[in-house]
Amino acid sequence: MSDDRRIDQSWYDSSTYFDGDTEHLMDLGSRFQRYRIEKVLEIADPEPSDRVVDFGCGWGTFEWVLGHRVKEIIGIDFSARSIELCNERLARDPNPAVRFLQADAGATGLDDDSCDLVICADLFEHLYPGDSARVALEAFRILRPGGRFSVWTPHRGHILEVLKNNSIVLKPDPSHVDYKSMRVMKSLLVGAGFEIERAYYAPSHLPGLKAAERLLQRAVPLLRRRIAVLGRKPIRGVDDPGR
């Protein structure tokens, strides 16, 4: 970043973040979005009876994908512009199972123990450390016992992120304020009270690079593309008999 201005709600609403080159993000059929949807739902695919909350919903990707597959899905973003765009699209294509809420993902205002799955796809890299801890705690609070917290975030050490963050060929993303390592990501969830069910590195959507990542990522950190973590809220008296 060229200055010390905090990347916050006003930054997203006053910048071109939601209005720039976003075709590949709004098109669910684009190669990138097909990959992203597939990989995020591999972490945790909701049941038809589930109530799902999507932290950092952005352009509403998972609301359009899951809106006809689950009982309810609530997209949450603190950006007024994000929620405005999502509601405009929802008005054109109504779905009673979908709604959007402008709120801080660290303080949603939703009821305790009120949802089955929280999706957090491509949000943690946009969060400062203190905010990250609040978001993990809020996910734990609103999930029912046994509920799942699905996290998907880029790995800073991947070759593409290294190039971007050093302005080599690719441009850095100023909104990526704090990449998390796998260790930090798992620690955030455990610190909030979750049990880790799965934690792994997922390959990218670029065919040649994907093949190299699958073969070599264990030994070569530069080929670890995405961090995927699934946490589960313990069921009191079963998973956590001491409570």
Side-chain angles (χ1 to χ4, degrees):
M1 288 163 42
S2 59
D3 58 48
D4 295 324
R5 185 159 66 107
R6 185 176 174 87
I7 304 297
D8 56 12
Q9 177 189 342
S10 63
W11 184 90
Y12 286 96
D13 287 340
S14 63
S15 73
T16 60
Y17 185 83
F18 286 103
D19 300 289
D21 182 19
T22 60
E23 257 186 51
H24 68 296
L25 296 171
M26 299 183 73
D27 178 8
L28 299 184
S30 70
R31 175 188 287 181
F32 174 76
Q33 281 291 43
R34 284 187 285 111
Y35 151 80
R36 181 171 177 260
I37 292 163
E38 176 190 351
K39 294 302 179 184
V40 170
L41 295 185
E42 279 180 4
I43 304 171
D45 201 359
E47 299 293 329
S49 60
D50 280 353
R51 187 179 193 228
V52 180
V53 176
D54 178 17
F55 281 180
C57 65
W59 293 267
T61 298
F62 292 99
E63 286 65 41
W64 315 131
V65 171
L66 297 175
H68 295 284
R69 291 176 44 186
V70 298
K71 181 178 181 179
E72 182 181 20
I73 181 165
I74 304 170
I76 291 178
D77 207 293
F78 74 173
S79 166
R81 183 58 180 148
S82 163
I83 299 304
E84 178 186 12
L85 288 169
C86 289
N87 278 327
E88 287 174 357
R89 187 168 179 178
L90 185 60
R92 295 193 299 270
D93 185 15
N95 184 332
V98 175
R99 68 181 173 104
F100 294 97
L101 174 65
Q102 184 186 353
D104 182 342
T108 64
L110 298 176
D111 291 339
D112 292 358
D113 304 337
S114 61
C115 65
D116 302 286
L117 173 66
V118 173
I119 294 173
C120 196
D122 294 307
L123 176 63
F124 273 103
E125 66 272 21
H126 298 269
L127 300 176
Y128 293 96
D131 295 324
S132 297
R134 289 194 307 108
V135 166
L137 286 166
E138 181 70 352
F140 189 87
R141 183 187 70 79
I142 67 174
L143 280 164
R144 296 188 178 100
R148 298 173 294 168
F149 186 30
S150 169
V151 175
W152 171 263
T153 188
H155 174 231
R156 184 183 182 90
H158 188 268
I159 182 62
L160 294 180
E161 300 298 336
V162 171
L163 292 174
K164 279 196 294 186
N165 292 320
N166 288 280
S167 299
I168 301 171
V169 183
L170 303 171
K171 290 182 180 180
D173 186 336
S175 69
H176 288 188
V177 297
D178 184 47
Y179 290 84
K180 278 71 178 176
S181 65
M182 177 67 83
R183 179 186 61 79
V184 167
M185 200 67 259
K186 290 167 68 175
S187 178
L188 279 168
L189 268 65
V190 170
F194 289 100
E195 296 175 346
I196 304 298
E197 289 208 343
R198 302 175 68 198
Y200 58 94
Y201 295 102
S204 67
H205 66 293
L206 302 172
L209 190 54
K210 178 166 66 174
E213 288 165 348
R214 283 177 170 166
L215 284 171
L216 301 170
Q217 67 171 221
R218 281 180 175 272
V220 184
L222 282 169
L223 295 177
R224 296 171 185 170
R225 182 65 186 114
R226 296 275 177 171
I227 293 171
V229 182
L230 179 64
R232 187 179 291 272
K233 182 172 180 175
I235 299 174
R236 298 177 185 89
V238 177
D239 297 90
D240 192 6
R243 291 190 178 183

